[in-house]
Amino acid sequence: MTIIVKPEKPWASSPKQRAISAGIIVLALMSTYLVVLLTPMKGKLAYGLVFFLLFILFDFIYHTRLYGFRSGKDAIARGVVASGIVFATLPIFSILITVFIRGRRGLYWGLFSNDMKANSVNDPLNQGGLVHALTGTFILVTIALIISLPIGILTALYLTEIRGRFSGPIKFLVQAMSGVPSIVAGLFILAAIVYPITKSYSGFMGSLALTILMIPTIARTSEEVLLLIPGELREAGLALGGTQWRTVAMVVVPAAKSGLVTAVILGIARVAGETAPIILLTGGGDRVNPNPFNGPMGSLPFYIWKSFSVGTEESVTRAWAGIFVLLMIVLVLFVSARFLSERGKS
Amino acid sequence: MTSPEKRELTTVPRFSDKVFRGIVTGGGLSSLIILGLIFAFLAYQGYSVLRSQGVHFITGSAWQIVQDSAGNIDYAQTKFGIAAMLIGTMLCALIAVFIAVPISVLSALFLTFYAPPFVKRIMVAVVDLMAAFPSILFGLWGFFILMPSVEYWAKLIHKYFGFIPIFKLEAPVVTRSPFVAGVVLAVMIIPIVTSVSREIFSQTPLDRIQAAYALGATRWSMIRAVVFPYGKSGVVGGAMLGLGRAMGETVAVYTVLNIVYKVNWHVLLGAGGNVASMILLKFGEAGPEEIKALMAAGLVLFLLTLLVNSLADFIVNKSGSKGR
């Protein structure tokens, strides 16, 4: 007869303990209802607060009676710590729900086939569309990406491959650059190029401002990715007689490919919804303007901004619909970045 | 039989490598160049205003352009001072930090030491997603959803804590106050403070955590004895990083704050300001001279955020490498 030893997990909670924890929650819920009913407190705030306090109190009493005061204190701490994550993630769920509910009303398929050249934001919601905004944002982001991708990756390569004497300062400066407020980036392009040279709105100026905001994101993410490439790969490349340039171009960068794509996606997500520099630099037309060097160019954030500022019911619904589309873009970008980086790890 | 020519062994980089290293170094120095250019151009454009206003530009809180009858600007009377907006910036950002830091530290603790692995994975993704949301989204959400609740909280705070000077209300106007802006900013900086704190907490040396447990510590006493002393300065750095973000925020603040050009210390009163949103507000109808003043204001904002960020970076890096 063979004896199969079943591994025990003495730290795992038993069904009885789990039942008791659930019981404490139920008890707290019921007494919360009673307390709110019997006292003049009212509203969601009261329910939340009373439930939180009562739950912690019951948990504390239970653990203190069972294991002593120190365990009771631990239970209080656990409740308070868990409340932190609730507060931190409550807004995001609220935001997602709000955008879905409010944005849905302004959605229709014509959004993706019409622009606003014949309509004002106050027209009924089944007229006009986002084409000018979507093409504008696409052009702005593409140009910004074309400029900032090489710069960002070169910065990351400098930090990981060359490791020259400026590594420390450059790391510091990239970090500092990621904190530059977007309005300052806008003002800089205004001061450096628009006022002295072009003197008018254009999509390209907006792209340049977005570039400033995009470079640090790409540089930092790429640096993290390149640091994960094992040094053996580099040594193997050099040992085969490759120069450093060939090793980086043929071995290191291809190995980091999916991570670098992640960096690009995060960079796009960072700037796609950037509003302040767009307001200063590109203006916003109501028709599709495919030329980034001439004339104002519509963009999604500007469309949202303008519709929101008008403030009538139709225009605000339009703003929510615009946000819905923007949020979808950001969500798709974010999920694909996650997917790529998870796959890269395994 | 001829032997092959002897290979030359050298450590001198080849020409292609020299070019490569040159290009990469140039790319690496771009951040220095861009930051330098930002400073140079904003200073160049704002120089005349900074020169004529002197230190008054930072200490004064009047913003008036006086023109004589011919329409020329009277430089003696024209005043540009951004003190009111600087105070507003600090006020909103500090409210945000005071609200965001406890929440972020608690959630970082939860994610590092309490959460089961699958909860942790989901929650980390959710918090990171929030960091990727555009600021105009927070602005609209704050305006339509958060503001009514926050106004109610503001009334409660005024009712029960009104005796504290900064919670005083001279007029019963609580709509679009710095407090509302602070709450929206807090929501916006929670992700970054959380992820910095989480990173620091997860670097706590495992042997010390296990030593604490071996001595009979509960989870909370382990956190108090080991994690907090180790992660303290990192959390301070994360908070400062959040402060820097909150100070530079434009659109979200513009949406929820009633921008009034005066010094206001009362956080619940519906009047305030912020340098970034003031620039956006005044930019639309600004004449050439005022644009220069806005450039100078941008320069001050740039230097301020740069200072706060650098300090934060310094503190975070120091705490990471300490490893006592």
Side-chain angles (χ1 to χ4, degrees), chain B residues 43-53 289 292:
Chain B
Y44 169 70
Q45 294 277 351
Y47 177 71
S48 65
V49 167
L50 282 175
R51 176 127 190 229
S52 69
Q53 300 291 330
E289 189 65 24
K292 283 185 182 159

Side-chain angles (χ1 to χ4, degrees), chain B residues 27-50:
Chain B
L29 289 174
S30 62
S31 52
L32 174 67
I33 296 166
I34 291 173
L35 286 175
L37 284 177
I38 292 178
F39 177 79
F41 274 99
L42 290 182
Y44 169 70
Q45 294 277 351
Y47 177 71
S48 65
V49 167
L50 282 175

Side-chain angles (χ1 to χ4, degrees), chain A residues 130 132-134 136-138 140-141 210 269-279 282-284 297-309 319 322-323 325-326 329-330, chain B residues 134-137 140 251:
Chain A
L130 290 171
H132 63 298
L134 287 170
T137 291
F138 179 75
L140 287 174
V141 170
L210 295 186
R270 165 80 180 80
V271 300
E274 203 49 74
T275 317
I278 300 281
I279 295 173
T282 67
M297 184 183 252
S299 64
L300 212 41
F302 191 88
Y303 175 83
I304 298 166
W305 171 258
K306 192 181 151 197
S307 312
F308 167 70
S309 313
I323 286 226
V325 175
L326 181 60
I329 295 173
V330 171
Chain B
S135 58
I136 187 156
L137 174 52
L140 257 70
V251 173

